[in-house]
Amino acid sequence: EPEVTQTPSHQVTQMGQEVILRCVPISNHLYFYWYRQILGQKVEFLVSFYNNEISEKSEIFDDQFSVERPDGSNFTLKIRSTKLEDSAMYFCASSDQDVSGGYTFGSGTRLTVV
Amino acid sequence: DQQVKQNSPSLSVQEGRISILNCDYTNSMFDYFLWYKKYPAEGPTFLISISSIKDKNEDGRFTVFLNKSAKHLSLHIVPSQPGDSAVYFCAASARRGGSNYKLTFGKGTLLTVNP
């Protein structure tokens, strides 16, 4: 079964440092997403990406965040200057055109900002 | 801004009985609803979905019911099995233009199925 792969599984970083979270979506999917879940809270939408550009972003996704699909297979989320409140599980997901089958989520990267 | 609400943080049922997980929504633009299951240290896994033009969708032990007038949906699992123990998330989408399928999630319900 095809899967979405995320690396690393756990990242610890100092406040103010830049982090890059990496994802390899399912190869024939066209839509890519980042979501996050702060401990004990709901899964929140960050950004969607289609046709090599951001199609929608939430208010959480401010200027500190950026996404890239640098080589046609990887999909990255960069946080330029991390804050303590960025600590969360970050989930990458991908989907084809039909949402009825749901997205496929990766296992997540646990980001801890200290 | 809780557009998707799961008011029960937890539910405990006996193996073999029915589990009913509930979800309410407020946004009338939502036209697709999905249920996801999540185990600790894993990403959410898609279970079942329903379009707003239907009121029921069934897949094996899982059935989702949609009441549009009440803006309410429920997931029925029957018979419940211990392996069903997980957090269940309700999610909704307002499909638009083929370019984005953003999902809005509820807070989740922890289901525990006791042997």
Side-chain angles (χ1 to χ4, degrees):
Chain A
E1 174 122 7
E3 58 181 30
V4 174
T5 306
Q6 288 187 246
T7 54
S9 58
H10 192 183
Q11 173 94 43
V12 181
T13 189
Q14 295 252 333
M15 190 169 57
Q17 294 295 304
E18 174 182 287
V19 293
I20 297 176
L21 309 183
R22 302 181 192 279
C23 170
V24 179
I26 292 174
S27 60
N28 62 343
H29 281 182
L30 302 174
Y31 304 89
F32 313 108
Y33 312 85
W34 284 99
Y35 284 76
R36 79 172 185 190
Q37 185 182 27
I38 294 172
L39 187 63
Q41 299 188 24
K42 64 179 180 177
V43 177
E44 300 174 290
F45 170 78
L46 291 178
V47 65
S48 58
F49 193 86
Y50 169 73
N51 201 24
N52 287 319
E53 60 183 20
I54 290 174
S55 49
E56 186 170 350
K57 58 185 181 180
S58 71
E59 61 271 15
I60 302 168
F61 195 90
D62 61 21
D63 292 344
Q64 294 299 312
F65 291 86
S66 63
V67 289
E68 265 194 330
R69 190 156 158 78
D71 56 12
S73 63
N74 290 286
F75 180 51
T76 62
L77 174 70
K78 183 193 291 186
I79 309 174
R80 266 181 268 283
S81 177
T82 49
K83 303 188 279 284
L84 294 176
E85 54 265 36
D86 294 327
S87 296
M89 280 291 287
Y90 286 81
F91 295 106
C92 173
S94 68
S95 71
D96 58 20
Q97 196 162 4
D98 182 7
V99 77
S100 66
Y103 298 169
T104 302
F105 281 87
S107 295
T109 293
R110 177 169 297 284
L111 177 66
T112 303
V113 183
V114 297
Chain B
D1 175 23
Q2 280 196 72
Q3 297 187 63
V4 177
K5 302 178 193 178
Q6 293 177 258
N7 291 320
S8 297
S10 63
L11 174 69
S12 184
V13 299
Q14 284 299 119
E15 181 178 5
R17 306 295 291 266
I18 185 170
S19 296
I20 300 176
L21 299 120
N22 292 302
C23 178
D24 298 291
Y25 63 96
T26 56
N27 188 342
S28 301
M29 298 299 291
F30 288 145
D31 58 1
Y32 224 91
F33 304 91
L34 306 92
W35 284 94
Y36 281 82
K37 171 174 156 179
K38 186 180 179 304
Y39 294 117
E42 293 185 15
T45 302
F46 170 73
L47 269 179
I48 191 168
S49 63
I50 188 166
S51 163
S52 60
I53 63 173
K54 297 188 173 181
D55 55 19
K56 177 182 173 181
N57 188 26
E58 192 171 349
D59 183 2
R61 296 186 297 115
F62 302 92
T63 303
V64 56
F65 295 92
L66 175 63
N67 182 335
K68 267 188 75 175
S69 60
K71 294 192 174 70
H72 176 84
L73 63 153
S74 60
L75 174 68
H76 292 211
I77 307 172
V78 56
S80 302
Q81 298 172 355
D84 295 329
S85 298
V87 177
Y88 287 77
F89 290 100
C90 173
S93 172
R95 290 179 295 179
R96 58 183 87 109
S99 65
N100 173 46
Y101 298 111
K102 165 188 164 184
L103 294 181
T104 301
F105 283 84
K107 288 189 175 181
T109 296
L110 174 63
L111 173 66
T112 303
V113 180
N114 301 302

